[in-house]
Amino acid sequence: MQIIKSLLTIPVFICPFILKAQTTYLPEGSKEYQFIDRLEIKQGRNSDYNFSALKPYSRRYLVQEAEFWDSGRVAYSNSLTGADNRWAGLNLTKIDEYNIHSILMDNPEWVSGSKESFLSKKPVLKSFYTTKPNLLEVNVKDFFLALNPVISYSMSKESSNDENIFYNKRGITARGRIANRIGFSTTITDNQERAPLFVQNRINDFHAVPGVGFYKPFKTTGVDYFDARGYITFNATKYIDIQFGYDKNFIGDGYRSLFLSDFSNSYLFLKLNTKIWKFNYQNLFMELMPQFTHSGDNLLSRKYAAMHHLSMNVTKWLNLGLFESVVFGRKDIFDLEYLNPIIFLRHIEGTVGSPDNAFAGADFKANVAHHFQFYGQLLLDEFILKEITKNNGYWANKFGYQLGAKYVDAFTIKNLDLQIETNRVRPFTYSHYDSIANYTHYNQPLAHPLGAGFQEFIGIAKYQPAPKWYINGRMIYYYQGLDSAGQNFGSNPFELYTTRSNDFGYFIGSGDKIKVFNASLAVSYELAENLFLEASYLFRRTSAVSGIGSVNTSVFGIGVRWNAARREYDY
């Protein structure tokens, strides 16, 4: 409760100065994310979305960019006088134009032009689906509301498993604006799930369902959980957006993030995002859950985190960023010194006695030749340079890096987008000497789902052959050194690094080395706006040097989802 009181002092103080143009944000898994990547790369120069390392995306900026691209397409194709050469490299396809229109239709509260094409030909009972995307849409003076169902149902068959695999989500989502000053969004769903066997094993090992919080057993090997998220938004000034609520965030341009991912459960947070000139600066204050074993109804302890991310458009095509974070616990008390939005967190951590878990990092993104994007992250937990040069596997050399590339309209095939990525994280990264300050939340990693001590390679292909068809393929290969014979080899961030048996000899794959290959293919058809029918196939092979735990599995499924993201098992 103390964290809420502390964080609310900032919004309360600035409330008298709230201006207009607050925004809500795209939910994770929305189809727009892939398309924004395409257009940013094809444009080949800085835009509002050259700050796209920070997710979720603002609906306001999303529409501004979509309208810019749409107007540019018309101007450049008609060779209008004064047409901006930024549009020259876009070469938008008919499918791109369809996707731009879909963005505008799904976010009508920010559209400045005509909305006539958004209207339904046959509304239901005259009041529902008056527009194509929304069950109920109210757009009047001082009030906007969009209300929609959330449904996802899939049935799958897994080899070597007599039980059917299923995922059942149903609920409702709403977003809106009040008096053009306050934005709000909420999503509430009830879920039942029986995941593939390797996911069931993970749930049992970590006492957590990936991506969610409290859960109950369901039909012996399934889980039942309720997921509720929501937030409010407003502006302190023209340049500062404020968001307060309970949801997830993501920092990075890759498929994975070594800084902060959306893999774990939602959390309470306050976010300040300042965008001015060539800079974007984000402050994120979070209330998290330390490791626990649920045993009846009791109050769980809390821990906290503060994160800063500063990025700058250095050139027309290059963006560089700096990241810092600290995770700490004070017996359910937020350390107010970490509320300073501009000071170096590592300095504070040292000033208060250096009891906390501090990180620093850097990231980059470069758009090249209207077809390529190169990106990466470097995360530093701690290291000693002389030990790195000796290559002796010193335990305290804790760091990780990510390198990746995206290729749009690959090999001149329109709307075929490819991505490759590698992630490497040293043993003991993200861990700490106590169980509170490790880089985790609700029994799940805050960054990469594998924790530490791994090397990962990812390949992704996304193809949209026609406006309503989506084909997504993904291959992941990684190797990792797990704990063996009761020894801590540094892959599990929940294990205290003080439990290691020695100081040297820790390399990627040390311990019980496993190799995992995970490949999936999904074909989706958009029957109506945000209503998808799809079929999917997943193959996973695990092999261990010890020979224990080696297994192959394949899962074939069909499903339908409506205003919902796909449920992924990508580890």
Side-chain angles (χ1 to χ4, degrees), residues 7 18 50 164 184 192 211 224 246 315 326 337 490 533 551 568:
L7 294 181
I18 291 177
N50 228 43
N164 289 328
F184 64 88
Q192 290 79 41
D224 185 328
Y246 186 83
T315 70
V326 62
E337 291 198 53
L533 303 177
V551 64
E568 302 285 1

Side-chain angles (χ1 to χ4, degrees), residues 11 23-26 55-57 183 185 230-235 240-249 268-273 282-285:
T23 181
T24 54
Y25 296 84
L26 283 176
K55 301 176 180 67
Y57 292 164
S185 176
Y231 57 83
I232 61 170
T233 66
F234 54 90
N235 299 95
I240 302 177
D241 292 335
I242 298 178
Q243 183 184 7
F244 179 75
Y246 186 83
D247 208 331
K248 302 182 182 185
N249 294 275
L268 182 72
F269 69 91
L270 172 68
K271 181 166 65 178
L272 287 73
N273 197 86
Q282 185 176 101
N283 305 104
L284 190 59
F285 307 100

Side-chain angles (χ1 to χ4, degrees), residues 97-109:
E97 294 172 12
Y98 169 86
N99 291 332
I100 289 177
H101 182 263
S102 180
I103 287 177
L104 299 177
M105 185 165 58
D106 288 345
N107 302 277
E109 64 268 41

Side-chain angles (χ1 to χ4, degrees), residues 139 207 513:
N139 199 348
H207 305 288
K513 185 176 181 179

Side-chain angles (χ1 to χ4, degrees), residues 197-216:
L197 290 174
F198 71 92
V199 181
Q200 294 182 31
N201 292 335
R202 184 183 180 106
I203 294 172
N204 294 332
D205 290 343
F206 287 87
H207 305 288
V209 178
V212 299
F214 174 71
Y215 69 96
K216 298 180 293 185

Side-chain angles (χ1 to χ4, degrees), residues 289-293 303 435-436 438 440 442-443 492-495:
M289 298 285 188
Q291 187 178 8
F292 68 93
T293 299
K303 66 179 184 179
S435 60
I436 300 297
N438 53 37
T440 66
Y442 216 95
N443 291 348
N492 187 348
F494 293 100
E495 294 289 337

